[in-house]
Amino acid sequence: MASRGFSFQMPSVGPSEPISRVMRHVFLDHQSATPVLPEVFEAMRPYFTEYFGNASSLHQHGLRVRDALATSRKQMAGLIQADNPDDIFFTSDGTESSNLAIKGVAYANERKGRHLVVSATEHPSVMNSVEFLEKQGWTCTRVGVTPAGLIKLDELEAAITPQTVLVAVHHVNHDIGAIQPMREVGRLCAAKGVPLYVDCEASAGWLPIDVKDWGAALVSFSAHRFYGPKGAGVLYRNRKARIVSILHGGVQEGGRRAGTENVPAIVGGGVAAAIAADRLQARIAHTGVLQKRLWDGLSSRIPYIQLNGPLPGPDRITTNLNLSTEFIEGEGQLLLCDLNGIAVASGSSCVSKSLKISHVLGAIGLDHALAQGNIIMTLGEANTVEDVDYVVETFATIVKKLRGMSPMWDEFERGVIDSVIAPTGRGKSFSAHAAEVSGKPAH
Amino acid sequence: MSDTYTLYNPTVMDHFMNPRNMGDLKDADGVGEVGAAACGDIMKISLRIKDGRIEDARFKTFGCGSAIASSSMATELIKGRTIEEALSFSNEEVVDALGGLPPVKIHCSVLAEEALKAALEDYVKRHPEAAKAVAAQPVSA
Ligand code: FES
């Protein structure tokens, strides 16, 4: 194997060489952040220096800012087809919104019941809020998903009891891009009379959202996912859901969220929402073309690579590719991508501070070996066809380099272990082998 | 971007990007393959041993950047050492030579120590006479 001499031809960046010498920069982590659009930034600028008032003040400075918040509320409401802008609450980000949705509804309905239903693949801010409540005596049912990551509707229906006070199902999965059947979920909740909370962090600005169509009582999203600033989180709440505050202080946001509003971020977020509503179809079309080109390129250039989550199409958001490349680990792939100007994410245990694989990959039943080789690429508006072609070439070279260093690739080629993606029938499973050498039971 | 930000220090990055002693050894005298219970990664070290001394060492790693750098550094450090010296090799030496690892990544260096020890064990199993020689050595304090 060693004598085969895998050559790594990409511009190899030594530690002393600045990364700017790399020929191309491709940002493929739009799930984490997006650049603030120039027009958004311009709209925000006066709210730092000129219009610095506090929205709670009763003088000119305060009233002007209050007016700006009202405009943003309208823009945010427009993005999700909400009729009443007063149903929009501003928070610091998606995590705060989901904490408020889960804990706020749970505490408000304590007398009615202490049972929650969530999908098994919610964002950690939902999962950990639920865990927090469980320690205080609430119970929670986590509804399973199919191998593609779609919620099992029959399990969802069976999980709802007379004590259930909230159902939480995200619109699009942040890891694997699965689009949940929200209309069906909404009908089910309506039939049972239970309020539905939909986390739209991964979809707002990238997919049409209609809170009325879903019958959603609560919806959350944040502007930094669609070219707005960080610090502008939104929780939509209609009259169907009773909710109490989890932050105590002043009566900002109708008493639902105490604390001085982050005015520049909220103003910018509103403008970003208006632009997102305007460019929605163009963004979907653009990223859809790139997604197809990227997956076609990667899957034809790289053997033993698979796409996790639904196939590109109606069940998958156009921005997301979640990949498992067999026989190599994700952090190494991520680091080499970065050194070649490509920003990606990974759900491998090695990149997590808890040394656990992404719970989403666990919930779809992905083999541990495949979860270890996980890379998440999320596209955006500024990515180009040239970017995609560069990524395909570079990633193929990176995979080759890492496989050349991997004992697993070597053992696969010698028939000691088998592939999970395309089994040859020779050799034992990777998991069995890993268990043997680590002296631990298989995952 | 005018600055380069890296996840690890320059020494670790260098060993990750330009790993030393990567590969297998034809006619290795001892081979050790171990897995990390914590994260599920796997490391393999092959040794060529002559006259009680490690003449050459190679590694292959399925693991994170720290694991690759740790195996690269470990194989560098142990070349030329006697078996008994190598038997007291510890992961701390790897961490020091690398200029430190993030706390959550210390286990990656432990994997390198374990792979080396497994390779030595394999050697001793294949060469019982070497085991006797090692045992006969006076243990130095
Ligand atoms: S070996 Fe798994 S985190 Fe480093």
Side-chain angles (χ1 to χ4, degrees):
Chain A
M1 275 300 301
S3 59
R4 185 168 303 180
F6 285 105
S7 58
F8 188 58
Q9 303 285 14
M10 295 319 299
S12 97
V13 181
S16 51
E17 297 170 72
I19 203 165
S20 53
R21 281 188 45 193
V22 172
M23 50 168 81
R24 191 179 273 275
H25 288 282
V26 186
F27 188 78
L28 283 185
D29 193 17
H30 291 86
Q31 183 56 26
S32 303
T34 53
V36 171
L37 290 174
E39 48 271 58
V40 170
F41 187 56
E42 282 314 313
M44 292 170 70
R45 194 193 292 270
Y47 289 89
F48 286 102
T49 49
E50 241 180 292
Y51 313 142
F52 58 87
N54 186 317
S56 299
S57 305
L58 301 183
H59 45 62
Q60 288 305 304
H61 301 275
L63 296 176
R64 177 191 284 277
V65 162
R66 207 179 291 186
D67 196 53
L69 296 187
T71 303
S72 177
R73 249 181 259 282
K74 268 188 219 125
Q75 292 162 324
M76 297 291 198
L79 188 61
I80 58 170
Q81 314 297 323
D83 287 338
N84 188 354
D86 290 336
D87 289 344
I88 299 288
F89 301 110
F90 294 118
T91 66
S92 58
D93 72 345
T95 292
E96 189 192 327
S97 292
S98 46
N99 272 262
L100 176 54
I102 305 275
K103 295 176 196 166
V105 170
Y107 289 138
N109 294 283
E110 224 174 326
R111 289 220 188 88
K112 189 181 164 228
R114 297 181 111 206
H115 179 243
L116 307 161
V117 175
V118 304
S119 87
T121 53
E122 296 299 308
H123 188 266
S125 58
V126 171
M127 291 315 222
N128 294 342
S129 292
V130 161
E131 258 178 52
F132 171 80
L133 287 170
E134 281 177 321
K135 285 191 193 117
Q136 298 177 29
W138 270 265
T139 57
C140 173
T141 308
R142 293 163 180 79
V143 178
V145 297
T146 65
L150 299 172
I151 190 160
K152 292 179 177 161
L153 289 165
D154 50 336
E155 272 188 34
L156 174 63
E157 184 168 17
I160 301 172
T161 73
Q163 273 68 51
T164 309
V165 292
L166 185 70
V167 170
V169 178
H170 59 288
H171 183 200
V172 167
N173 188 267
H174 56 282
D175 268 8
I176 56 173
I179 303 173
Q180 301 298 345
M182 288 325 306
R183 207 177 273 175
E184 286 74 11
V185 171
R187 286 217 189 100
L188 231 153
C189 294
K192 302 258 185 182
V194 180
L196 167 65
Y197 160 52
V198 189
D199 167 5
C200 290
E201 277 290 304
S203 61
W206 297 101
L207 268 184
I209 293 173
D210 189 334
V211 292
K212 285 176 296 187
D213 187 37
W214 300 344
L218 301 121
V219 162
S220 64
F221 58 96
S222 341
H224 71 269
R225 300 292 181 84
F226 50 83
Y227 304 98
K230 296 165 194 72
V234 168
L235 181 65
Y236 157 85
R237 185 216 57 141
N238 71 17
R239 306 290 134 91
K240 281 183 210 157
R242 289 199 332 115
I243 192 167
V244 295
S245 178
I246 56 168
L247 278 183
H248 302 101
V251 287
Q252 290 92 348
E253 299 303 293
R256 289 331 183 301
R257 200 272 186 179
T260 303
E261 290 92 347
N262 182 354
V263 178
I266 292 169
V267 167
V271 174
I275 294 171
D278 213 45
R279 293 195 198 158
L280 193 60
Q281 291 309 325
R283 281 182 183 165
I284 293 171
H286 177 69
T287 49
V289 168
L290 298 184
Q291 181 189 48
K292 184 175 183 310
R293 192 181 180 96
L294 185 51
W295 173 235
D296 285 352
L298 292 171
S299 55
S300 65
R301 284 291 311 273
I302 301 167
Y304 307 103
I305 187 170
Q306 85 172 24
L307 187 63
N308 301 314
L311 289 171
D315 289 339
R316 186 179 198 111
I317 195 161
T318 49
T319 49
N320 170 292
L321 282 183
N322 183 300
L323 309 163
S324 279
T325 307
E326 218 169 351
F327 312 114
I328 53 177
E329 185 281 323
E331 188 194 281
Q333 300 175 52
L334 185 155
L335 289 172
L336 287 176
C337 280
D338 192 33
L339 290 163
N340 286 285
I342 304 167
V344 297
S346 169
S348 156
S349 70
C350 299
V351 301
S352 109
K353 293 197 175 81
S354 61
L355 292 175
K356 287 203 182 88
I357 59 162
S358 143
H359 73 286
V360 175
L361 300 182
I364 61 170
L366 195 66
D367 190 281
H368 185 84
L370 293 184
Q372 275 300 81
N374 179 243
I375 285 291
I376 305 164
M377 300 182 175
T378 38
L379 293 151
E381 169 171 89
N383 291 135
T384 63
V385 166
E386 291 74 34
D387 286 346
V388 164
D389 294 348
Y390 172 71
V391 171
V392 169
E393 284 311 306
T394 310
F395 197 68
T397 315
I398 287 170
V399 168
K400 222 175 176 183
K401 173 174 167 121
L402 288 173
R403 280 187 177 159
M405 292 167 56
S406 168
M408 309 324 295
W409 176 246
D410 182 41
E411 278 157 16
F412 167 64
E413 287 201 316
R414 287 191 286 117
V416 179
I417 62 160
D418 203 354
S419 160
V420 181
I421 293 174
T424 60
R426 303 185 307 154
K428 57 192 168 212
S429 78
F430 179 104
S431 298
H433 180 75
E436 239 169 70
V437 293
S438 65
K440 268 232 327 184
H443 289 281
Chain B
M1 262 184 269
S2 52
D3 296 313
T4 308
Y5 301 93
T6 50
L7 192 57
Y8 300 115
N9 73 42
T11 311
V12 178
M13 288 308 284
D14 181 36
H15 276 264
F16 166 66
M17 287 185 294
N18 312 298
R20 330 291 200 260
N21 314 310
M22 196 280 291
D24 295 298
L25 276 178
K26 249 199 202 120
D27 326 310
D29 298 304
V31 178
E33 187 174 347
V34 295
C39 61
D41 290 342
I42 291 172
M43 198 182 286
K44 183 177 157 191
I45 288 184
S46 313
L47 301 174
R48 184 159 38 236
I49 295 170
K50 211 176 167 193
D51 303 330
R53 215 170 260 284
I54 297 175
E55 216 181 42
D56 207 352
R58 292 276 190 283
F59 82 88
K60 278 208 165 171
T61 294
F62 167 94
C64 70
S66 299
I68 289 171
S70 292
S71 42
S72 167
M73 184 55 93
T75 48
E76 276 292 89
L77 291 170
I78 54 167
K79 274 198 275 180
R81 293 199 188 175
T82 63
I83 297 170
E84 48 273 33
E85 281 167 348
L87 279 170
S88 60
F89 184 83
S90 122
N91 76 300
E92 279 162 41
E93 214 183 313
V94 175
V95 177
D96 286 347
L98 285 172
L101 285 171
V104 71
K105 294 291 185 181
I106 296 296
H107 77 272
C108 319
S109 66
V110 174
L111 201 54
E113 177 191 324
E114 288 173 355
L116 169 65
K117 301 233 162 119
L120 290 169
E121 235 171 75
D122 182 49
Y123 170 76
V124 168
K125 219 182 280 166
R126 291 197 220 171
H127 302 86
E129 75 288 351
K132 273 182 221 127
V134 172
Q137 293 280 335
V139 184
S140 53

